[in-house]
């Protein structure tokens, strides 16, 4: 694979076709992400998406049996995979790898319309790297899903000019927003850009027609997601869970925009320098569209008040292209650049190398490539015939999926949701406060088994009342039965 990539450093970029580019991007993505196919989870959100998807596969629409704060297309992605391939970490991670490669392929397609194939190719390669490395990006996140749809839609915007393609673009943008709600920001800002463009070029009627078809595609997706809820009499659940709950959560979890400001200033500063130095052509319409998307996504980060590592996935396909153009005009002579570039490419996947070592070590020690407490704790529970029907995972909650059981209540589908009291009205949950929910679980449901994590409080350390209650309850009513790596298994006293 590396030999193939190295060969592309020779002047053959003009001969590149989409099939070759996709094959290389997929192989790079597969090599980097493959060792994480065996990890129980990389991010807790991914575990929640899987549990929500399994509930859907079992016949329960999202938000009706279990509940989480994400739009339904995210769960649909996982549900389709589970429906076809069953409970398979490898299938989920494989299709996550495919998403990454396809997103990078559309990055290549967008860039190839703006700049040279060489810059386009390397922008796409680094898009794979940045979507797959650092932090929790090796799992399948909602950002991977929404960014794929948005990158595909943007590619159509830059390359097609017929109303049917504008309808498809709107559909893809709708799927993106119904995967991650903050993608509505670039949709709205693009709309403003197109209206301004229509006035500027005195073709407002033509632009309006295009926007109408895009809007129809967007609304088509919303209607499709609403239809099953309407047919089952749960339309209010759809509306509250997708639109009202995120607004309530956003209002209650205020983070100062100033926290995200240094990052935003850094990105915009580099882009401004590129335009000012004329390394990036500000008059290029495709680049203007990419900049509009980047700015809109950055505004959504500012509104959130934080920039988590996986949030950045939403930026990469759009910001790497202008950066690639700028760097392409600044790189040193080829004799110096080529060895530096190859060294960088070899060093970047360090996390992947370490994970390869980890899975081999786990195979030698435990006889399985699959690793992590989310796998090992359920194995212990099943091997020792412990109760699996009344169990509460305060950590490693992918264990519910492995064991084939549901969380005890809606409010703990994602373990941290129990303390998000502002969301309770939208869950249609009988209890209205987190402590009331916790009392219900411990005093009424009385889980036979509770799983926690060694060296970590069960709830966020700021939730003193929650931790004081659960610590005392465990001390009085449970015994620590086993420690599996960092997983603590508590059994209820008779």
């Amino acid at each position: 694979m590396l030999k193939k990539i190295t060969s592309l450093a020779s002047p053959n970029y003009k001969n590149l076709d989409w099939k070759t580019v996709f094959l290389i991007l997929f192989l790079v993505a597969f090599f980097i992400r493959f060792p994480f196919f065996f990890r129980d989870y990389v991010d807790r959100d991914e575990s929640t998406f899987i549990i929500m998807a399994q509930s859907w596969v079992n016949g329960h629409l999202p938000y009706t049996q279990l509940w989480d704060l994400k739009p339904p297309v995210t769960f649909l992605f996982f549900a389709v995979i589970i429906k076809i391939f069953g409970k398979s970490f490898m299938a989920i991670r494989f299709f996550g790898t495919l998403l990454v490669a396809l997103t990078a392929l559309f990055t290549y397609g967008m860039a190839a319309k703006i700049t040279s194939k060489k810059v386009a190719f390397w922008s796409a390669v680094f898009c794979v790297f940045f979507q797959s490395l650092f932090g929790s990006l090796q799992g399948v996140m909602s950002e991977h899903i929404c960014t794929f749809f948005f990158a595909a839609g943007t590619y159509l915007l830059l390359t097609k000019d017929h109303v049917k393609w504008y309808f498809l673009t709107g559909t893809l943008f709708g799927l993106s927003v119904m995967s991650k709600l903050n993608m509505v920001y670039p949709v709205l800002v693009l709309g403003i850009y197109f209206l301004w463009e229509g006035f500027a070029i005195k073709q407002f009627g033509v632009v309006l027609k295009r926007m109408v078809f895009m809007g129809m595609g967007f609304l088509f997706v919303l209607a499709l997601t609403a239809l099953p809820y309407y047919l089952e009499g749960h339309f209010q659940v759809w509306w509250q869970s997708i639109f009202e709950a995120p607004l309530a959560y956003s209002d209650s979890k205020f983070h100062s925009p100033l926290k995200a400001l240094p990052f935003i200033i850094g990105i915009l500063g580099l882009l401004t320098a590129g335009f000012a130095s004329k390394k990036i052509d500000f008059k290029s319409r495709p680049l203007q569209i990419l900049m509009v998307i980047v700015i809109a996504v950055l505004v959504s980060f500012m509104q959130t008040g934080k920039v988590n590592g996986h949030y950045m996935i939403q930026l990469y396909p759009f910001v790497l292209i202008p950066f690639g153009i700028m760097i392409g005009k600044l790189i040193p002579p080829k004799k110096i650049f080529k060895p530096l570039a190859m060294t960088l490419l070899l060093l970047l996947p360090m996390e992947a190398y370490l994970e390869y070592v980890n899975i081999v070590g786990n195979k030698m020690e435990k006889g399985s490539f699959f690793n992590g407490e989310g796998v090992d704790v359920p194995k212990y529970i099943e091997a020792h015939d412990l109760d699996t029907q009344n169990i509460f995972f305060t950590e490693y909650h992918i264990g519910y999926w492995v064991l084939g059981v549901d969380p005890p209540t809606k409010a703990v589908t994602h373990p941290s949701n129990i303390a998000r009291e502002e969301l309770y009205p939208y869950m249609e949950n009988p209890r209205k406060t987190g402590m009331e929910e916790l009392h219900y679980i411990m005093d009424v449901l009385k889980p036979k088994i509770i799983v926690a994590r060694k060296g970590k409080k069960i709830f966020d350390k700021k939730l003193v009342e929650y931790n004081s209650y659960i610590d005392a309850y465990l001390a009085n009513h449970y015994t620590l039965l086993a420690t599996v790596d960092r997983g603590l298994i508590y059994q209820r006293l008779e």
Side-chain angles (χ1 to χ4, degrees):
M1 179 186 67
L2 287 175
K3 183 179 179 181
K4 180 74 173 176
I5 295 173
T6 305
S7 69
L8 288 166
S10 60
N12 291 321
Y13 293 99
K14 290 182 180 180
N15 298 327
L16 281 176
D17 57 53
W18 277 59
K19 289 181 181 178
T20 303
V21 172
F22 174 71
L23 177 61
I24 294 168
L25 294 175
F26 178 77
L27 290 175
V28 173
F30 187 82
F31 172 76
I32 294 172
R33 300 177 71 89
F34 178 70
F36 300 97
F37 282 26
F38 306 95
R39 181 86 72 84
D40 56 346
Y41 75 100
V42 184
D43 188 280
R44 297 172 85 193
D45 286 348
E46 183 196 45
S47 300
T48 306
F49 304 154
I50 293 171
I51 295 167
M52 291 287 291
Q54 184 65 61
S55 177
W56 200 344
V57 171
N58 294 342
H60 305 282
L61 287 171
Y63 323 116
T64 56
Q65 182 197 38
L66 303 180
W67 198 93
D68 187 50
L69 191 68
K70 287 291 186 296
V73 171
T74 288
F75 311 134
L76 181 63
F77 173 81
F78 290 90
V80 171
I81 296 170
I82 294 170
K83 183 68 175 179
I84 297 172
F85 298 96
K87 289 183 180 180
S88 171
F89 283 111
M90 294 193 71
I92 289 170
R93 305 282 164 71
F94 173 84
F95 281 97
T97 300
L98 190 61
L99 274 187
V100 167
L102 287 171
T103 302
L105 183 66
F106 283 116
T107 303
Y108 169 81
M110 289 186 284
K113 295 296 180 182
I114 303 171
T115 183
S116 68
K117 283 190 173 183
K118 180 177 181 179
V119 171
F121 174 77
W122 288 107
S123 296
V125 169
F126 278 94
C127 189
V128 170
F129 280 124
F130 288 133
Q131 285 188 92
S132 303
L133 298 171
F134 320 118
S136 60
L137 275 63
Q138 305 94 347
V140 184
M141 306 300 293
S142 58
E143 287 84 2
H144 287 115
I145 301 167
C146 75
T147 305
F148 160 71
F149 288 125
F150 212 94
T154 305
Y155 170 77
L156 293 181
L157 267 185
L158 300 183
T159 59
K160 306 294 182 181
D161 192 25
H162 189 280
V163 289
K164 66 181 180 182
W165 294 114
Y166 284 102
F167 179 84
L168 181 55
T169 297
T171 301
L172 289 166
F173 285 170
L175 288 167
S176 180
V177 172
M178 286 292 98
S179 305
K180 182 78 174 177
L181 209 58
N182 79 303
M183 293 308 287
V184 76
Y185 281 82
V187 171
L188 291 175
V189 178
L190 275 174
I192 295 170
Y193 170 83
F194 290 136
L195 289 175
W196 169 82
E197 183 183 48
F199 281 113
I201 64 176
K202 297 180 180 180
Q203 291 186 354
F204 183 74
V206 174
V207 172
L208 186 61
K209 181 181 178 180
R210 295 169 180 170
M211 290 184 63
V212 167
F213 276 87
M214 285 176 61
M216 289 170 60
F218 187 92
L219 293 174
F220 174 68
V221 172
L222 264 63
L224 281 183
T225 62
L227 182 61
Y229 291 89
Y230 176 78
L231 294 176
E232 292 192 10
H234 294 305
F235 181 78
Q236 187 175 2
V237 171
W238 174 84
W239 177 259
Q240 289 182 336
S241 300
I242 298 174
F243 300 105
E244 292 186 10
L247 289 173
Y249 179 72
S250 179
D251 289 342
S252 66
K253 299 294 181 182
F254 175 76
H255 297 276
S256 172
L258 295 177
K259 292 184 178 180
L261 202 57
F263 169 81
I264 292 170
I265 290 174
I267 295 291
L268 292 180
L270 287 172
L271 292 172
T272 301
F275 287 123
S277 63
K278 297 184 179 180
K279 302 297 182 185
I280 307 173
D281 182 10
F282 184 74
K283 295 180 180 180
S284 166
R285 180 178 182 269
L287 280 173
Q288 288 177 2
I289 289 174
L290 295 184
M291 290 305 95
V292 164
I293 295 170
V294 168
I295 291 169
V297 173
L298 290 173
V299 169
S300 77
F301 292 169
M302 183 175 288
Q303 191 273 334
T304 304
K306 57 182 179 179
V307 185
N308 291 337
H310 52 89
Y311 290 3
M312 290 289 294
I313 294 170
Q314 298 168 300
L315 276 181
Y316 293 137
F318 315 106
V319 80
L320 284 173
I321 294 171
F323 281 168
I325 292 170
M326 186 164 54
I327 292 169
K329 295 178 180 179
L330 295 172
I331 56 174
K334 187 175 179 180
K335 289 183 179 180
I336 300 174
F337 173 71
K338 188 173 178 179
L340 287 175
M342 295 311 300
T343 301
L344 179 63
L345 288 172
L346 288 170
L347 291 178
L348 267 177
M350 189 58 65
E351 285 180 300
Y353 302 149
L354 295 174
E355 192 65 15
Y356 275 109
V357 173
N358 178 53
I359 61 171
V360 171
N362 197 77
K363 175 66 174 176
M364 294 174 64
E365 180 183 348
K366 300 178 180 179
S368 174
F369 289 115
F370 292 95
N371 62 93
E373 290 84 353
V375 171
D376 293 338
V377 168
K379 276 185 180 178
Y380 180 94
I381 290 171
E382 290 183 318
H384 292 79
D385 294 321
L386 302 180
D387 190 307
T388 60
Q389 297 306 308
N390 192 6
I391 188 168
F392 182 25
F393 283 90
T394 67
E395 192 71 46
Y396 315 116
H397 65 298
I398 192 63
Y400 292 125
W401 190 58
V402 177
L403 292 172
V405 298
D406 292 323
T409 69
K410 270 187 180 183
V412 291
T413 304
H414 190 299
S416 66
N417 279 353
I418 193 171
R420 297 174 177 175
E421 295 179 359
E422 65 279 0
L423 300 179
Y424 278 51
Y426 310 103
M427 296 182 192
E428 294 190 344
N429 194 70
R431 276 78 52 193
K432 303 304 179 186
T433 69
M435 282 304 300
E436 187 181 350
E437 187 75 11
L438 186 57
H439 279 287
Y440 173 75
I441 292 170
M442 303 305 296
D443 294 325
V444 178
L445 298 182
K446 299 179 179 179
K448 299 294 184 182
I449 299 293
I450 292 179
V451 177
R453 180 176 176 177
K454 185 178 180 181
K456 180 184 176 184
K457 285 291 186 182
I458 287 180
F459 299 104
D460 189 287
K461 60 184 179 180
K462 297 177 183 178
L463 301 172
V464 177
E465 183 182 6
Y466 288 80
N467 284 312
S468 297
Y469 170 79
I470 195 72
D471 289 346
Y473 201 99
L474 288 174
N476 292 326
H477 299 281
Y478 287 81
T479 182
L480 180 59
L481 182 66
T483 300
V484 180
D485 294 331
R486 292 174 297 173
L488 304 176
I489 303 175
Y490 292 93
Q491 186 173 41
R492 192 174 183 92
L493 299 170
E494 296 296 335

